[in-house]
Amino acid sequence: MSINDDMPCFAGVPIEVRVSRGRLRCVPPCSDNELEFSQIEGRLMSVSKTKWHGFPYWCVELKDDINTYHLLFFLKSGKFVYLLRCLVGRTVNNLSIEIGPLSDGTVQMIVEGDYKWLEPADIYIPPVKRHWKKEGVNPKDWQDYTDRLNAVQKMVEGIATHTHT
């Protein structure tokens, strides 16, 4: 189900759409009900970092003939990294994203640019560093995303120079 087909016109008010659990989720302006969609498309306007409800997100701004959509990805989102790998080194005007859960519990995302399927580039992105420290009997671990987020930020800056505004 495409958000572009089912969303009424909200002139001048961007619609925030979160990528969460294999769905595109949004609460339209002037509504209290959360809606779920599996596809979104529009002209790629920008890619940037933003805050939504006090939390940091990556924002992909898409615009169709009726509405402006802010597609929000959590900072540590693997799906955002997949999207960046599809966009890096390319100039894309129209972007289409279809996302949905598969029967095995994983989530599939299909990215099309200018009506052609985009295959992700083979780019090295630093892995998440795992640190273990023992406190008493139970070992605790924590994950360091610093290098990974810095690499993603550089990719976003590179893509931002190729988007059409």
Side-chain angles (χ1 to χ4, degrees):
M1 174 161 67
S2 176
I3 192 170
N4 303 84
D5 297 335
D6 296 330
M7 193 61 63
C9 179
F10 292 104
V13 178
I15 300 168
E16 274 78 19
V17 181
R18 290 178 301 115
V19 177
S20 174
R21 296 187 194 114
R23 292 279 183 229
L24 303 171
R25 300 169 189 259
C26 74
V27 178
C30 307
S31 176
D32 292 331
N33 296 328
E34 182 176 73
L35 303 174
E36 290 186 359
F37 300 94
S38 59
Q39 183 179 14
I40 188 168
E41 59 185 281
R43 289 184 308 280
L44 177 61
M45 304 306 286
S46 66
V47 180
S48 62
K49 193 183 286 187
T50 190
K51 283 206 175 221
W52 184 70
H53 291 280
F55 294 98
Y57 282 86
W58 295 112
C59 177
V60 178
E61 185 176 349
L62 299 174
K63 193 172 205 166
D64 66 7
D65 295 335
I66 299 172
N67 291 311
T68 300
Y69 302 97
H70 289 171
L71 190 57
L72 303 172
F73 292 85
F74 188 62
L75 276 189
K76 299 173 184 175
S77 171
K79 292 301 171 196
F80 182 71
V81 172
Y82 180 85
L83 175 64
L84 286 181
R85 289 177 55 217
C86 290
L87 295 177
V88 72
R90 295 182 172 107
T91 301
V92 174
N93 289 320
N94 294 305
L95 186 67
S96 174
I97 298 171
E98 186 174 349
I99 189 166
L102 298 173
S103 60
D104 64 357
T106 60
V107 175
Q108 179 183 23
M109 187 163 86
I110 299 169
V111 180
E112 292 182 357
D114 296 328
Y115 310 105
K116 294 177 188 164
W117 181 60
L118 300 179
E119 193 160 325
D122 188 20
I123 297 173
Y124 174 75
I125 298 171
V128 176
K129 292 181 183 174
R130 299 190 192 289
H131 299 276
W132 290 272
K133 67 179 186 179
K134 288 194 173 191
E135 291 180 6
V137 187
N138 298 328
K140 294 195 173 189
D141 67 88
W142 56 279
Q143 299 163 346
D144 183 6
Y145 282 82
T146 307
D147 293 342
R148 187 176 179 92
L149 290 176
N150 288 338
V152 170
Q153 179 65 44
K154 288 180 185 174
M155 289 174 63
V156 167
E157 290 167 1
I159 289 173
T161 61
H162 289 92
T163 57
H164 299 281
T165 55

